[in-house]
Every structure is written in structure tokens, then in C-alpha cells.
Amino acid sequence: PQQLDAQVIQAQAARDAAQAEIAAAQADIDTGWSFVRANDPDIGKNPERDLGQAAELLAQANAELQQSRPNWLTIVKQAQEANRLADGAIANARGELEAMNKLRAQAQRAQQLASGEVQKIAQFAGLHEADLPDDSGARLRRLQSELQQAYAALQSAEQHEETARAEDLRQANSRYTSVQEHAEALYQDLYEVFQRVDQLRRQLAGSVEGAEQALARAEQRYQTYSAYFANSSEPVRLIGEAQVMLDTIGNPRGEARL
């Protein structure tokens, strides 16, 4: 009787251990499927495949459990392997989601930087349009077109899933990075032109002031010595021509005109 009781206890312990392994595996499988389904567009097929294999093994373990004389060792091994597959699937799924989120964050940061650079150029060009080269507008429009293409790639990522989504995000990041580089080069070009024009404008202002002072002195001297030029209109003509030349300068815009 004591030997029989010991066998019953061992059998019950084996059943309990097997059921515990099955329950643990089932919990991990359920957790894995919940995570995969909640983030399905960002997760590839491998975690789903592994969870499917885990479920098949667990089904086999449960079928063995229903036998009149279950093989407890087989059940435990199947449940443990199912658990291992489920754990691996969860880890892989989380890794894929983390990688996708990283790609998404990189693309979004690149979008912010590129958009900011293009906006800066648009504002600068708007303020100094008359002083910039004639092709500035066309170059800015090309840059804005590049920005739209990068945005289209980013939007495309939301329409695709898994590998295609990751590739769209990489493409968007690459395009936005290119926009940043082109924007920096364009801004540098425009700013250098603006600096030259601003320097020319300062030089012109100094020249105009000098010319005005010279004309004022000439007129003053003419008034002082007009009696000596009673028979000549040459001083008046020269002063008049100089004034007309000065007046025609006006307020020129653009590097060549300045």
C-alpha cells in the first residue's frame, strides 16, 4: 500500500508539473499573439511563425495529456519547447518593433530638420528677394519639390507593412537628409550673395553721399563766383548733368545693378 501511495503521489506530481508547464507556455503564447496583433504592421512574419509552431507543440502536449497513460516527460518537453518558441517570438517581435520605432523617429527628426531649413530659406528669400540672384526662386522651388517627395515616402510608410514599411522609412530618412544638405548649400550661396549686395549698398550709400556733398560745394562755389561766369553757362550745365546722373541712380537692387 505504501508503494502504491508513493506511485500515486509521483503520478500526481508529474501531472501537476506537466499542467504547470502547459499553462506557462499557453500564457506566453497568448502574450505573444496579443503583442503581435497590437503591432502587426511593424512586425514581420517570423514571430507569427514561431508562435504558430509553439501552439502546435502545445496542442500535441494537451492531446498527450488526455491519454489514459500520458507520457509526462514528452508532455513537459513539448510544453517547454513551446514556451521557448513563444519567448523567442516575443523577444523578436519586441526587437522588430523597437527597430521600426527607431526608423520612424529618425525619419521624423529628419523631417523636422529639413522642413525647418527649407522654411528658413523661404523666409530669407522673401525678405531679400530683390537682392538675390534671378534663379533663387527656381532653386527654392526645386528644394521644396524634394521636400514633398521625402514627405510622400514618409506617408507611404504608413500605407505599407513590415519590410516595405521599413524600406519606406529608410527612403524617407535618406531623402530628408538630402534635402538638408541641399538646403544648407543653397542658404550658404544666398547668404553670401546677400552679404556682397549689402556691402555694395553700403559702398553706394557712401558714394552717393560724397557725390551729394560735391554737388553742394559746386553749387555753393558757383553762387559765390557766379559773376566770373556771366558769359558762360558751362558751370550750370555741368552741375545739372551731375545732378541728373545722381538722380538716375535711385535705389538699385541686385548685385549687378549695384
Side-chain angles (χ1 to χ4, degrees):
Q2 290 180 348
Q3 184 178 3
L4 182 59
D5 289 343
Q7 291 175 348
V8 170
I9 292 173
Q10 289 177 352
Q12 186 60 48
R15 174 181 288 272
D16 291 344
Q19 289 176 334
E21 291 289 350
I22 288 174
Q26 186 63 60
D28 278 352
I29 291 172
D30 292 343
T31 297
W33 278 119
S34 295
F35 186 84
V36 168
R37 287 165 181 154
N39 303 282
D40 187 58
D42 290 340
I43 296 174
K45 300 300 182 186
N46 288 342
E48 295 181 7
R49 180 203 62 200
D50 291 344
L51 287 171
Q53 292 177 354
E56 290 177 4
L57 280 172
L58 201 60
Q60 295 173 15
N62 277 312
E64 181 64 27
L65 188 63
Q66 302 306 315
Q67 300 298 318
S68 57
R69 297 185 63 183
N71 186 326
W72 303 116
L73 182 59
T74 297
I75 293 173
V76 169
K77 285 183 177 181
Q78 288 173 329
Q80 288 178 339
E81 178 61 14
N83 202 331
R84 186 191 67 79
L85 285 171
D87 286 343
I90 293 171
N92 289 337
R94 287 175 176 163
E96 291 181 15
L97 178 61
E98 181 179 355
M100 191 71 76
N101 284 337
K102 184 177 181 180
L103 283 174
R104 187 179 289 109
Q106 288 174 340
Q108 290 171 346
R109 283 196 301 271
Q111 179 191 29
Q112 291 175 349
L113 292 172
S115 299
E117 288 296 315
V118 173
Q119 184 179 12
K120 180 178 71 175
I121 293 174
Q123 291 174 343
F124 183 81
L127 288 172
H128 307 289
E129 180 179 3
D131 294 335
L132 299 179
D134 293 337
D135 67 345
S136 299
R139 293 178 69 184
L140 176 57
R141 287 190 293 273
R142 286 197 296 270
L143 190 64
Q144 290 170 331
S145 177
E146 288 183 45
L147 187 65
Q148 286 298 321
Q149 292 172 11
Y151 179 73
L154 185 59
Q155 289 297 103
S156 179
E158 297 307 311
Q159 308 302 320
H160 294 151
E161 297 183 358
E162 302 167 6
T163 303
R165 172 172 287 187
E167 182 57 32
D168 286 338
L169 290 172
R170 293 188 186 96
Q171 186 67 234
N173 188 46
S174 175
R175 287 180 180 271
Y176 278 126
T177 300
S178 178
V179 171
Q180 291 177 50
E181 293 172 352
H182 294 165
E184 289 173 1
L186 177 56
Y187 183 79
Q188 184 66 29
D189 288 348
L190 297 183
Y191 189 70
E192 287 177 357
V193 171
F194 170 74
Q195 284 185 312
R196 292 198 301 269
V197 168
D198 188 58
Q199 181 63 29
L200 285 171
R201 186 178 290 108
R202 294 174 187 274
Q203 292 174 358
L204 176 61
S207 298
V208 168
E209 183 179 2
E212 289 174 341
Q213 291 174 354
L215 273 171
R217 288 194 301 270
E219 290 176 350
Q220 183 180 17
R221 289 176 180 176
Y222 176 73
Q223 293 299 328
T224 302
Y225 301 106
S226 59
Y228 294 97
F229 300 99
N231 297 322
S232 175
S233 61
E234 187 68 5
V236 175
R237 184 184 67 79
L238 291 173
I239 291 173
E241 288 181 356
Q243 186 64 58
V244 169
M245 290 177 64
L246 186 60
D247 291 342
T248 58
I249 293 175
N251 185 27
R253 298 295 182 91
E255 187 173 9
R257 177 68 179 131
L258 283 164

